[in-house]
Coordinates of all heavy atoms in Angstrom, one line a residue:
M30 N 1.3 -32.9 -38.2 CA 0.4 -33.9 -37.7 C 1.0 -34.2 -36.2 O 0.5 -34.4 -35.3 CB 0.2 -35.1 -38.4 CG -0.5 -36.2 -37.7 SD -2.0 -36.6 -38.7 CE -2.1 -38.3 -38.2
I31 N 2.4 -34.4 -36.2 CA 3.1 -34.8 -35.0 C 3.0 -33.7 -34.0 O 2.7 -34.0 -32.8 CB 4.6 -35.2 -35.3 CG1 4.6 -36.4 -36.1 CG2 5.4 -35.3 -34.0 CD1 6.1 -36.7 -36.7
L32 N 3.2 -32.4 -34.4 CA 3.1 -31.4 -33.6 C 1.6 -31.3 -32.9 O 1.5 -31.1 -31.7 CB 3.3 -29.9 -34.2 CG 3.4 -28.7 -33.4 CD1 4.3 -28.9 -32.2 CD2 3.6 -27.5 -34.1
G33 N 0.7 -31.4 -33.6 CA -0.8 -31.4 -33.1 C -0.9 -32.6 -32.1 O -1.7 -32.4 -31.1
S34 N -0.4 -33.8 -32.3 CA -0.5 -34.8 -31.5 C 0.2 -34.6 -30.1 O -0.4 -34.8 -29.1 CB 0.0 -36.1 -32.0 OG -0.7 -36.5 -33.1
S35 N 1.2 -33.8 -30.3 CA 2.0 -33.6 -28.9 C 1.4 -32.5 -28.2 O 1.3 -32.6 -27.0 CB 3.4 -33.1 -29.4 OG 4.2 -34.0 -30.0
V36 N 0.6 -31.6 -28.8 CA 0.0 -30.5 -28.1 C -1.2 -31.1 -27.4 O -1.7 -30.8 -26.3 CB -0.4 -29.4 -29.1 CG1 -1.4 -28.5 -28.4 CG2 0.8 -28.7 -29.5
M37 N -1.9 -32.0 -28.2 CA -3.1 -32.7 -27.5 C -2.7 -33.6 -26.4 O -3.4 -33.4 -25.4 CB -3.8 -33.6 -28.6 CG -4.5 -32.7 -29.7 SD -5.4 -33.6 -30.9 CE -5.9 -35.0 -30.2
L38 N -1.6 -34.3 -26.4 CA -1.1 -35.0 -25.4 C -0.8 -34.3 -24.1 O -1.1 -34.5 -23.1 CB 0.1 -35.9 -25.9 CG 0.6 -36.9 -24.8 CD1 -0.4 -37.9 -24.4 CD2 1.9 -37.6 -25.3
L39 N 0.0 -33.2 -24.4 CA 0.3 -32.2 -23.4 C -0.9 -31.6 -22.6 O -1.0 -31.6 -21.5 CB 1.2 -31.2 -23.9 CG 2.0 -30.2 -22.9 CD1 2.9 -31.2 -22.1 CD2 2.9 -29.2 -23.5
A40 N -2.0 -31.3 -23.5 CA -3.3 -30.7 -23.0 C -3.9 -31.8 -22.1 O -4.5 -31.5 -21.1 CB -4.0 -30.2 -24.1
A41 N -3.9 -33.0 -22.5 CA -4.6 -34.1 -21.7 C -3.8 -34.3 -20.5 O -4.5 -34.8 -19.6 CB -4.7 -35.3 -22.7
C42 N -2.7 -34.1 -20.4 CA -1.9 -34.3 -19.1 C -1.9 -33.1 -18.3 O -1.1 -33.1 -17.3 CB -0.4 -34.7 -19.4 SG -0.4 -36.3 -20.4
G43 N -2.7 -32.0 -18.5 CA -2.8 -30.9 -17.6 C -1.7 -29.9 -18.1 O -1.6 -29.0 -17.4
G44 N -1.1 -30.1 -19.1 CA -0.1 -29.1 -19.6 C 1.2 -29.2 -18.9 O 2.0 -28.2 -19.0
E45 N 1.4 -30.1 -18.1 CA 2.7 -30.2 -17.4 C 3.4 -31.5 -17.7 O 2.7 -32.5 -17.7 CB 2.4 -30.1 -15.7 CG 1.9 -28.7 -15.4 CD 1.6 -28.7 -14.0 OE1 2.2 -29.5 -13.2 OE2 0.8 -28.0 -13.4
E46 N 4.6 -31.5 -17.7 CA 5.4 -32.7 -17.7 C 5.5 -33.3 -16.5 O 5.7 -32.6 -15.4 CB 6.8 -32.4 -18.4 CG 6.7 -32.0 -19.8 CD 8.2 -31.9 -20.3 OE1 9.1 -32.6 -19.9 OE2 8.4 -31.0 -21.2
A47 N 5.5 -34.6 -16.3 CA 5.6 -35.3 -15.2 C 7.2 -35.4 -14.8 O 8.0 -35.9 -15.5 CB 5.0 -36.7 -15.2
T48 N 7.5 -35.0 -13.7 CA 9.0 -35.0 -13.3 C 9.1 -35.6 -11.8 O 8.1 -35.4 -11.1 CB 9.8 -33.7 -13.4 OG1 9.1 -32.8 -12.5 CG2 9.7 -33.2 -14.9
D49 N 10.2 -36.0 -11.4 CA 10.4 -36.3 -10.0 C 11.3 -35.3 -9.4 O 11.7 -35.5 -8.4 CB 11.2 -37.7 -10.0 CG 10.2 -38.9 -10.3 OD1 8.9 -38.7 -10.2 OD2 10.6 -39.9 -10.8
E50 N 11.6 -34.2 -10.1 CA 12.5 -33.3 -9.7 C 12.0 -32.6 -8.4 O 10.8 -32.3 -8.3 CB 12.7 -32.1 -10.7 CG 14.1 -32.0 -11.0 CD 14.3 -30.9 -12.0 OE1 14.3 -29.8 -11.8 OE2 14.3 -31.4 -13.3
G51 N 12.8 -32.6 -7.3 CA 12.4 -32.0 -6.1 C 11.8 -33.0 -5.1 O 11.6 -32.8 -4.0
D52 N 11.3 -34.1 -5.6 CA 10.6 -35.1 -4.9 C 11.7 -36.1 -4.4 O 12.4 -36.7 -5.1 CB 9.5 -35.8 -5.6 CG 8.3 -34.9 -6.0 OD1 8.1 -33.8 -5.2 OD2 7.7 -35.2 -7.0
E53 N 11.7 -36.5 -3.1 CA 12.6 -37.4 -2.7 C 11.9 -38.8 -2.8 O 10.7 -39.0 -2.4 CB 12.9 -37.2 -1.2 CG 13.8 -36.0 -1.0 CD 14.6 -36.0 0.3 OE1 14.9 -37.0 0.8 OE2 14.7 -34.8 0.8
A54 N 12.7 -39.8 -3.4 CA 12.0 -41.1 -3.5 C 11.9 -41.8 -2.1 O 12.6 -41.4 -1.1 CB 12.8 -42.0 -4.3
E55 N 11.0 -42.7 -2.0 CA 10.8 -43.4 -0.6 C 11.9 -44.0 -0.4 O 12.7 -44.7 -1.2 CB 9.6 -44.3 -0.9 CG 9.2 -45.1 0.4 CD 8.2 -46.1 0.3 OE1 7.2 -45.9 -0.6 OE2 8.1 -47.1 1.0
G56 N 12.4 -44.0 0.9 CA 13.7 -44.5 1.4 C 14.9 -43.8 1.1 O 16.0 -44.1 1.7
D57 N 14.7 -42.5 0.6 CA 15.9 -41.7 0.4 C 16.0 -40.5 1.3 O 16.9 -39.7 1.2 CB 15.8 -41.2 -1.1 CG 16.2 -42.2 -2.1 OD1 16.6 -43.3 -1.7 OD2 15.9 -41.9 -3.4
Q58 N 15.1 -40.4 2.3 CA 15.1 -39.2 3.1 C 16.2 -39.3 4.3 O 16.4 -40.5 4.7 CB 13.7 -39.1 3.8 CG 13.6 -37.7 4.5 CD 12.1 -37.6 5.0 OE1 11.2 -38.2 4.6 NE2 11.9 -36.5 5.8
E59 N 16.8 -38.3 4.5 CA 17.9 -38.3 5.6 C 17.4 -37.6 6.8 O 16.8 -36.4 6.7 CB 19.1 -37.7 5.1 CG 20.4 -38.0 6.0 CD 21.6 -37.5 5.3 OE1 21.8 -36.4 5.0 OE2 22.4 -38.4 5.1
F60 N 17.4 -38.2 8.0 CA 16.8 -37.5 9.2 C 18.1 -37.2 10.2 O 19.0 -38.1 10.4 CB 16.0 -38.5 9.9 CG 14.7 -39.1 9.1 CD1 14.8 -40.0 8.2 CD2 13.6 -38.2 9.4 CE1 13.6 -40.4 7.5 CE2 12.4 -38.7 8.7 CZ 12.5 -39.7 7.7
T61 N 17.9 -36.2 10.9 CA 18.6 -35.8 11.9 C 18.0 -36.6 13.2 O 16.7 -37.0 13.0 CB 18.8 -34.5 12.4 OG1 17.5 -33.8 12.7 CG2 19.4 -33.6 11.2
L62 N 18.6 -36.9 14.3 CA 17.9 -37.4 15.5 C 16.7 -36.5 15.9 O 15.6 -37.0 16.2 CB 18.9 -37.7 16.6 CG 18.5 -38.6 17.7 CD1 18.0 -40.0 17.1 CD2 19.6 -38.8 18.7
E63 N 17.0 -35.2 15.8 CA 15.8 -34.3 16.1 C 14.6 -34.4 15.1 O 13.5 -34.4 15.6 CB 16.4 -32.8 16.1 CG 15.2 -31.8 16.6 CD 15.9 -30.4 16.5 OE1 17.1 -30.2 16.7 OE2 15.0 -29.6 16.5
E64 N 14.9 -34.5 13.9 CA 13.8 -34.7 12.9 C 13.0 -36.0 13.1 O 11.9 -36.1 13.0 CB 14.3 -34.6 11.5 CG 14.9 -33.2 11.1 CD 15.7 -33.2 9.9 OE1 16.2 -34.3 9.4 OE2 15.6 -32.2 9.1
L65 N 13.7 -37.1 13.4 CA 13.3 -38.4 13.7 C 12.3 -38.3 14.8 O 11.3 -39.0 14.8 CB 14.4 -39.3 14.0 CG 13.9 -40.9 14.1 CD1 13.2 -41.4 12.9 CD2 15.1 -41.7 14.5
G66 N 12.7 -37.5 15.8 CA 11.8 -37.4 17.0 C 10.4 -36.9 16.6 O 9.5 -37.1 17.5
E67 N 10.3 -36.4 15.5 CA 8.9 -35.8 15.3 C 7.9 -37.0 14.8 O 6.7 -36.9 14.7 CB 9.1 -34.8 14.1 CG 9.6 -33.5 14.5 CD 10.0 -32.6 13.3 OE1 9.3 -32.7 12.2 OE2 10.8 -31.8 13.5
Y68 N 8.6 -38.1 14.4 CA 7.8 -39.2 14.0 C 7.6 -40.2 15.2 O 8.1 -41.3 15.2 CB 8.5 -39.9 12.9 CG 8.5 -39.0 11.6 CD1 9.6 -38.1 11.4 CD2 7.5 -39.1 10.7 CE1 9.7 -37.3 10.4 CE2 7.5 -38.2 9.6 CZ 8.5 -37.3 9.4 OH 8.6 -36.5 8.4
D69 N 6.8 -39.6 16.1 CA 6.6 -40.4 17.5 C 5.4 -41.3 17.6 O 5.1 -41.8 18.6 CB 6.7 -39.4 18.6 CG 5.7 -38.4 18.5 OD1 4.6 -38.3 17.6 OD2 5.7 -37.4 19.4
G70 N 4.7 -41.2 16.5 CA 3.4 -42.0 16.5 C 2.2 -41.4 17.3 O 1.2 -41.9 17.5
Q71 N 2.4 -40.1 17.7 CA 1.5 -39.4 18.5 C 0.7 -38.4 17.8 O 1.2 -37.8 16.7 CB 2.2 -38.8 19.7 CG 2.9 -39.6 20.7 CD 2.0 -40.4 21.5 OE1 1.0 -40.0 22.1 NE2 2.4 -41.9 21.5
D72 N -0.4 -38.1 18.1 CA -1.3 -37.1 17.5 C -1.4 -37.0 16.0 O -1.3 -36.0 15.3 CB -0.7 -35.6 18.0 CG -0.7 -35.5 19.5 OD1 -1.7 -35.9 20.1 OD2 0.2 -34.9 20.0
G73 N -1.5 -38.1 15.5 CA -1.6 -38.4 14.0 C -0.3 -38.4 13.3 O -0.3 -38.6 12.0
N74 N 0.9 -38.4 14.0 CA 2.1 -38.5 13.3 C 2.5 -39.9 13.0 O 2.1 -41.0 13.7 CB 3.2 -38.1 14.2 CG 3.2 -36.4 14.4 OD1 2.7 -35.8 13.7 ND2 3.6 -36.1 15.6
D75 N 3.2 -40.2 11.8 CA 3.7 -41.5 11.6 C 4.6 -41.9 12.7 O 5.2 -41.1 13.6 CB 4.2 -41.6 10.3 CG 3.4 -41.6 9.0 OD1 2.2 -41.9 9.4 OD2 3.8 -41.2 8.1
A76 N 5.0 -43.2 12.8 CA 5.9 -43.8 13.8 C 7.1 -44.3 13.1 O 6.9 -45.2 12.3 CB 5.2 -44.8 14.7
Y77 N 8.2 -43.8 13.3 CA 9.5 -44.3 12.6 C 10.5 -44.6 13.7 O 10.4 -44.0 14.9 CB 10.1 -43.1 11.8 CG 9.3 -42.8 10.6 CD1 9.8 -41.6 9.9 CD2 8.2 -43.3 10.1 CE1 9.1 -41.2 8.6 CE2 7.5 -43.0 9.0 CZ 8.1 -41.9 8.2 OH 7.3 -41.5 7.1
V78 N 11.4 -45.6 13.6 CA 12.4 -45.9 14.4 C 13.7 -46.1 13.5 O 13.6 -46.5 12.4 CB 12.1 -47.1 15.2 CG1 11.0 -46.8 16.2 CG2 11.9 -48.4 14.4
A79 N 14.8 -45.9 14.1 CA 16.1 -46.1 13.4 C 16.8 -47.3 14.2 O 16.8 -47.5 15.4 CB 17.0 -44.8 13.5
V80 N 17.4 -48.0 13.2 CA 18.2 -49.1 13.8 C 19.4 -49.2 12.7 O 19.3 -49.3 11.5 CB 17.5 -50.5 13.7 CG1 18.4 -51.6 14.1 CG2 16.3 -50.4 14.7
D81 N 20.7 -49.2 13.2 CA 21.9 -49.2 12.4 C 21.9 -48.2 11.5 O 22.4 -48.5 10.2 CB 22.0 -50.7 11.9 CG 22.5 -51.6 13.0 OD1 23.1 -51.2 14.0 OD2 22.0 -52.8 12.8
G82 N 21.3 -47.1 11.6 CA 21.4 -45.9 10.6 C 20.3 -46.0 9.6 O 20.0 -45.1 8.7
V83 N 19.3 -46.9 9.7 CA 18.3 -47.2 8.8 C 16.9 -46.7 9.5 O 16.9 -47.3 10.5 CB 18.2 -48.5 8.1 CG1 17.0 -48.6 7.2 CG2 19.4 -49.0 7.4
V84 N 16.2 -45.9 8.8 CA 14.8 -45.4 9.4 C 13.7 -46.3 8.8 O 13.5 -46.4 7.6 CB 14.7 -43.9 9.2 CG1 13.4 -43.6 9.8 CG2 15.9 -43.2 9.8
Y85 N 13.0 -46.9 9.7 CA 11.9 -47.8 9.4 C 10.7 -47.3 9.8 O 10.5 -46.6 10.9 CB 12.0 -49.2 10.1 CG 13.3 -49.9 9.7 CD1 14.5 -49.8 10.5 CD2 13.3 -50.9 8.7 CE1 15.5 -50.6 10.1 CE2 14.5 -51.5 8.3 CZ 15.6 -51.4 9.0 OH 16.7 -52.1 8.7
D86 N 9.6 -47.4 9.1 CA 8.2 -47.1 9.3 C 7.5 -48.1 10.1 O 7.1 -49.1 9.5 CB 7.5 -46.7 8.0 CG 6.2 -46.1 8.2 OD1 5.6 -46.1 9.3 OD2 5.6 -45.5 7.2
V87 N 7.2 -47.9 11.4 CA 6.5 -48.8 12.0 C 5.1 -48.4 12.4 O 4.4 -48.9 13.4 CB 7.2 -49.1 13.5 CG1 8.6 -49.9 13.2 CG2 7.3 -47.9 14.4
T88 N 4.5 -47.4 11.6 CA 3.2 -46.9 11.8 C 2.2 -47.9 11.9 O 1.2 -47.9 12.7 CB 3.0 -45.9 10.7 OG1 4.0 -44.9 10.7 CG2 1.5 -45.2 10.9
D89 N 2.3 -49.0 11.1 CA 1.2 -50.0 10.9 C 1.5 -51.2 11.6 O 0.8 -52.2 11.4 CB 0.9 -50.3 9.4 CG 0.3 -49.0 8.6 OD1 -0.4 -48.2 9.2 OD2 0.6 -48.8 7.5
V90 N 2.3 -51.2 12.5 CA 2.8 -52.4 13.3 C 2.2 -52.3 14.7 O 2.3 -51.4 15.4 CB 4.4 -52.4 13.5 CG1 4.7 -53.6 14.3 CG2 5.1 -52.5 12.2
A91 N 1.3 -53.4 14.8 CA 0.4 -53.4 16.0 C 1.3 -53.2 17.4 O 0.8 -52.5 18.2 CB -0.4 -54.8 16.1
E92 N 2.4 -53.9 17.4 CA 3.4 -53.7 18.5 C 3.8 -52.3 18.8 O 4.3 -52.0 19.9 CB 4.4 -54.6 18.4 CG 4.1 -56.1 18.6 CD 3.6 -56.7 17.3 OE1 3.6 -56.1 16.2 OE2 3.1 -57.9 17.4
W93 N 3.6 -51.4 17.8 CA 4.0 -49.9 18.0 C 2.9 -49.1 18.0 O 3.0 -47.8 17.8 CB 4.9 -49.5 16.9 CG 6.4 -50.1 17.1 CD1 6.9 -51.2 16.5 CD2 7.4 -49.5 17.9 NE1 8.2 -51.4 17.0 CE2 8.6 -50.3 17.8 CE3 7.4 -48.4 18.6 CZ2 9.8 -50.0 18.4 CZ3 8.5 -48.0 19.2 CH2 9.8 -48.8 19.1
E94 N 1.7 -49.6 18.2 CA 0.5 -48.7 18.2 C 0.7 -47.5 19.3 O 1.0 -47.6 20.3 CB -0.8 -49.5 18.6 CG -2.1 -48.7 18.6 CD -3.2 -49.6 18.8 OE1 -3.1 -50.9 18.8 OE2 -4.4 -49.0 19.0
G95 N 0.2 -46.4 18.8 CA 0.4 -45.3 19.6 C 1.7 -44.7 19.8 O 2.0 -43.8 20.6
G96 N 2.8 -45.3 19.1 CA 4.0 -44.8 19.2 C 4.8 -45.5 20.4 O 6.1 -45.1 20.5
E97 N 4.3 -46.5 21.1 CA 4.9 -47.0 22.2 C 5.0 -48.6 21.9 O 4.2 -49.1 21.5 CB 4.2 -46.9 23.4 CG 4.2 -45.4 23.9 CD 3.6 -45.2 25.3 OE1 3.4 -46.2 26.1 OE2 3.3 -44.0 25.6
H98 N 6.2 -49.0 22.1 CA 6.5 -50.5 21.7 C 5.9 -51.5 23.0 O 6.2 -51.3 24.1 CB 7.9 -50.8 21.5 CG 8.1 -52.3 21.0 ND1 7.4 -52.8 20.1 CD2 9.1 -53.1 21.5 CE1 7.8 -54.1 19.9 NE2 9.0 -54.2 20.8
A99 N 5.1 -52.3 22.6 CA 4.5 -53.4 23.5 C 5.0 -54.7 23.0 O 5.0 -55.0 21.8 CB 3.1 -53.1 23.5
P100 N 5.3 -55.6 23.9 CA 5.0 -55.5 25.3 C 6.5 -55.1 26.0 O 6.3 -55.0 27.2 CB 4.9 -57.1 25.6 CG 5.8 -57.8 24.6 CD 5.7 -56.9 23.4
A101 N 7.3 -54.7 25.2 CA 8.6 -54.3 25.9 C 8.4 -53.0 26.8 O 9.0 -53.0 27.9 CB 9.7 -53.9 24.9
G102 N 7.6 -52.1 26.5 CA 7.3 -50.9 27.2 C 8.6 -50.1 27.4 O 9.7 -50.6 27.3
G103 N 8.4 -48.8 27.4 CA 9.4 -47.9 27.6 C 10.1 -47.5 26.3 O 10.9 -46.5 26.2
L104 N 9.9 -48.2 25.3 CA 10.5 -47.8 24.0 C 9.3 -47.0 23.2 O 8.3 -47.4 23.0 CB 10.9 -49.0 23.1 CG 12.0 -49.9 23.5 CD1 12.1 -50.9 22.6 CD2 13.2 -49.1 23.7
E105 N 9.8 -45.8 22.7 CA 9.1 -45.0 22.0 C 9.5 -44.8 20.6 O 10.7 -44.7 20.4 CB 8.8 -43.6 22.7 CG 8.1 -43.7 24.0 CD 8.0 -42.4 24.8 OE1 8.7 -41.4 24.3 OE2 7.4 -42.4 26.0
A106 N 8.6 -44.7 19.6 CA 9.0 -44.3 18.3 C 9.6 -42.9 18.2 O 9.4 -42.1 19.1 CB 7.7 -44.3 17.3
G107 N 10.3 -42.6 17.2 CA 11.0 -41.4 16.9 C 12.4 -41.3 17.4 O 12.9 -40.3 17.6
G108 N 12.9 -42.5 17.8 CA 14.3 -42.6 18.2 C 15.1 -43.7 17.5 O 14.7 -44.5 16.8
D109 N 16.3 -43.6 18.0 CA 17.4 -44.6 17.6 C 17.3 -45.8 18.5 O 17.7 -45.7 19.7 CB 18.7 -44.1 17.4 CG 19.9 -45.1 16.8 OD1 19.5 -46.2 16.7 OD2 20.9 -44.7 16.5
H110 N 16.9 -47.0 18.2 CA 16.8 -48.2 19.0 C 17.7 -49.3 18.6 O 17.4 -50.5 18.8 CB 15.3 -48.6 19.1 CG 14.5 -47.6 19.6 ND1 14.6 -47.1 20.9 CD2 13.4 -46.9 19.2 CE1 13.7 -46.2 21.1 NE2 12.9 -46.2 20.1
T111 N 18.9 -48.9 18.1 CA 20.0 -50.0 17.6 C 20.2 -50.8 18.7 O 20.2 -52.1 18.7 CB 21.1 -49.3 17.1 OG1 20.8 -48.4 16.1 CG2 22.1 -50.4 16.7
E112 N 20.6 -50.2 20.0 CA 21.0 -51.1 21.2 C 19.9 -52.0 21.7 O 20.1 -53.2 21.9 CB 21.5 -50.2 22.3 CG 22.8 -49.5 22.0 CD 23.3 -48.6 23.1 OE1 23.0 -48.9 24.2 OE2 24.0 -47.7 22.8
E113 N 18.6 -51.4 21.7 CA 17.6 -52.2 22.2 C 17.2 -53.4 21.4 O 17.0 -54.5 21.9 CB 16.3 -51.3 22.3 CG 16.5 -50.2 23.5 CD 17.2 -48.9 23.0 OE1 17.6 -48.9 21.8 OE2 17.1 -48.0 23.7
I114 N 17.3 -53.2 20.1 CA 16.8 -54.3 19.2 C 17.9 -55.4 19.2 O 17.7 -56.6 19.1 CB 16.5 -53.8 17.7 CG1 15.7 -55.0 17.1 CG2 17.9 -53.5 16.9 CD1 15.0 -54.5 15.9
E115 N 19.2 -55.0 19.3 CA 20.3 -56.1 19.4 C 20.1 -56.8 20.7 O 20.7 -58.0 20.6 CB 21.7 -55.3 19.4 CG 22.0 -54.8 18.0 CD 23.3 -54.0 17.9 OE1 23.9 -53.7 19.0 OE2 23.7 -53.5 16.9
E116 N 19.6 -56.3 21.8 CA 19.3 -57.1 23.0 C 18.0 -57.8 23.0 O 17.8 -58.7 24.0 CB 19.6 -56.1 24.2 CG 21.0 -55.5 24.3 CD 21.0 -54.4 25.4 OE1 20.0 -54.1 26.2 OE2 22.0 -53.8 25.5
A117 N 17.1 -57.4 22.3 CA 15.8 -58.2 22.1 C 15.8 -59.5 21.7 O 16.7 -59.8 20.8 CB 14.9 -57.2 21.1
P118 N 14.9 -60.3 22.3 CA 14.9 -61.8 21.8 C 14.6 -62.0 20.3 O 15.2 -63.0 19.8 CB 13.6 -62.4 22.6 CG 13.4 -61.3 23.7 CD 13.9 -60.0 23.2
H119 N 13.9 -61.1 19.8 CA 13.6 -61.2 18.2 C 14.8 -60.9 17.5 O 14.8 -61.1 16.2 CB 12.3 -60.6 17.9 CG 12.3 -59.2 18.3 ND1 13.0 -58.1 17.8 CD2 11.3 -58.6 19.1 CE1 12.6 -57.0 18.2 NE2 11.7 -57.2 19.1
G120 N 15.7 -59.9 18.0 CA 16.8 -59.5 17.2 C 16.2 -58.6 16.1 O 15.1 -58.1 16.0
T121 N 17.1 -58.5 15.1 CA 16.7 -57.7 13.9 C 15.9 -58.3 12.8 O 15.6 -57.7 11.8 CB 18.0 -57.2 13.1 OG1 18.8 -58.4 12.7 CG2 18.9 -56.3 14.1
D122 N 15.5 -59.6 13.0 CA 14.6 -60.4 12.0 C 13.3 -59.6 11.8 O 12.7 -59.6 10.7 CB 14.4 -61.7 12.5 CG 15.7 -62.6 12.5 OD1 16.5 -62.2 11.8 OD2 15.7 -63.7 13.2
V123 N 12.9 -58.9 12.7 CA 11.5 -58.2 12.7 C 11.6 -57.1 11.6 O 10.6 -56.4 11.3 CB 11.0 -57.7 14.1 CG1 10.7 -58.9 15.0 CG2 12.0 -56.8 14.7
L124 N 12.8 -56.5 11.4 CA 12.9 -55.4 10.5 C 12.7 -55.8 9.0 O 12.6 -54.9 8.1 CB 14.2 -54.7 10.7 CG 14.6 -54.3 12.2 CD1 16.0 -53.7 12.2 CD2 13.5 -53.3 12.7
E125 N 13.0 -57.1 8.8 CA 13.2 -57.4 7.2 C 12.0 -56.9 6.4 O 12.1 -56.7 5.2 CB 13.3 -59.0 7.2 CG 14.6 -59.5 7.7 CD 14.7 -61.0 7.7 OE1 13.7 -61.7 7.3 OE2 15.7 -61.5 8.2
D126 N 10.6 -57.1 6.9 CA 9.5 -56.7 6.0 C 9.0 -55.3 6.3 O 8.0 -54.9 5.7 CB 8.4 -57.7 6.4 CG 8.8 -59.2 5.9 OD1 9.5 -59.2 4.9 OD2 8.4 -60.0 6.7
L127 N 9.7 -54.5 7.0 CA 9.2 -53.1 7.3 C 9.6 -52.4 6.1 O 10.7 -52.4 5.7 CB 9.8 -52.7 8.6 CG 9.4 -53.2 9.9 CD1 10.1 -52.6 11.1 CD2 7.9 -53.0 10.1
P128 N 8.7 -51.2 5.8 CA 9.2 -50.2 4.9 C 10.3 -49.4 5.4 O 10.2 -49.0 6.7 CB 8.0 -49.5 4.6 CG 6.9 -49.8 5.6 CD 7.4 -51.0 6.3
T129 N 11.2 -49.1 4.6 CA 12.2 -48.0 4.9 C 12.0 -46.7 4.4 O 11.5 -46.6 3.3 CB 13.7 -48.5 4.6 OG1 13.7 -48.7 3.2 CG2 14.1 -49.9 5.2
V130 N 12.3 -45.7 5.3 CA 12.0 -44.3 4.8 C 13.2 -43.6 4.5 O 13.2 -42.4 4.0 CB 10.9 -43.6 5.6 CG1 9.6 -44.3 5.6 CG2 11.4 -43.6 7.1
G131 N 14.4 -44.0 5.0 CA 15.5 -43.2 4.9 C 16.6 -43.6 5.7 O 16.7 -44.8 6.2
T132 N 17.5 -42.7 6.1 CA 18.7 -43.0 6.9 C 18.8 -41.9 8.0 O 18.3 -40.9 7.8 CB 20.1 -43.0 6.1 OG1 20.1 -41.8 5.4 CG2 20.0 -44.2 4.9
L133 N 19.5 -42.3 9.1 CA 19.7 -41.5 10.1 C 21.1 -40.8 9.9 O 22.1 -41.5 9.7 CB 19.7 -42.2 11.3 CG 19.8 -41.4 12.8 CD1 18.6 -40.4 12.8 CD2 19.8 -42.4 14.0
E134 N 21.2 -39.4 9.8 CA 22.5 -38.8 9.9 C 23.4 -39.3 11.0 O 22.9 -39.5 12.2 CB 22.3 -37.3 9.9 CG 21.8 -36.7 8.6 CD 21.8 -35.2 8.7 OE1 22.2 -34.6 9.6 OE2 21.1 -34.6 7.8
E135 N 24.7 -39.2 10.8 CA 25.6 -39.6 11.7 C 26.0 -38.4 12.5 O 26.1 -37.4 12.1 CB 26.9 -40.5 11.1 CG 26.4 -41.6 10.7 CD 27.6 -42.5 10.1 OE1 28.7 -42.2 10.6 OE2 27.4 -43.4 9.2

């Protein structure tokens, strides 16, 4: 009876066991600066920025619409903006609620 139940359960699940093997969990991806550059918020790409080695997703942040930061201007998604945010009036406080997607390789 136990064997029959196991076979039915496996069949109901599509015959495959659910695993996380090979899948990187959110926040665990490691980026080179070149890879980060692909996330520029242009042509349907997500917009990511790195600060102090942490990569943040700014795709849904209005101030980063289209991959360019407003009102500062001149800042584009897909790069390391550690220096710029340290000099910004808002500082790093704006990062607190942003989703993290990974880290920037050193």
Side-chain angles (χ1 to χ4, degrees):
M30 178 127 153
I31 294 174
L32 180 60
S34 297
S35 297
V36 170
M37 287 176 35
L38 180 60
L39 193 58
C42 294
E45 296 180 19
E46 289 184 34
T48 66
D49 291 336
E50 235 174 85
D52 294 336
E53 291 198 36
E55 184 177 335
D57 288 345
Q58 191 169 351
E59 192 170 58
F60 297 86
T61 64
L62 199 51
E63 183 178 338
E64 290 168 337
L65 181 61
E67 296 174 20
Y68 296 90
D69 60 1
Q71 302 288 315
D72 301 319
N74 294 329
D75 286 339
Y77 295 172
V78 297
V80 175
D81 290 327
V83 178
V84 178
Y85 297 91
D86 185 343
V87 295
T88 304
D89 296 326
V90 177
E92 290 81 7
W93 282 96
E94 186 175 347
E97 293 184 15
H98 185 44
L104 291 182
E105 297 179 353
D109 184 349
H110 295 299
T111 301
E112 290 180 26
E113 292 87 354
I114 200 161
E115 289 174 356
E116 296 172 2
H119 54 62
T121 58
D122 292 343
V123 295
L124 303 174
E125 291 176 5
D126 295 326
L127 292 176
T129 58
V130 292
T132 57
L133 187 62
E134 285 184 6
E135 293 184 26

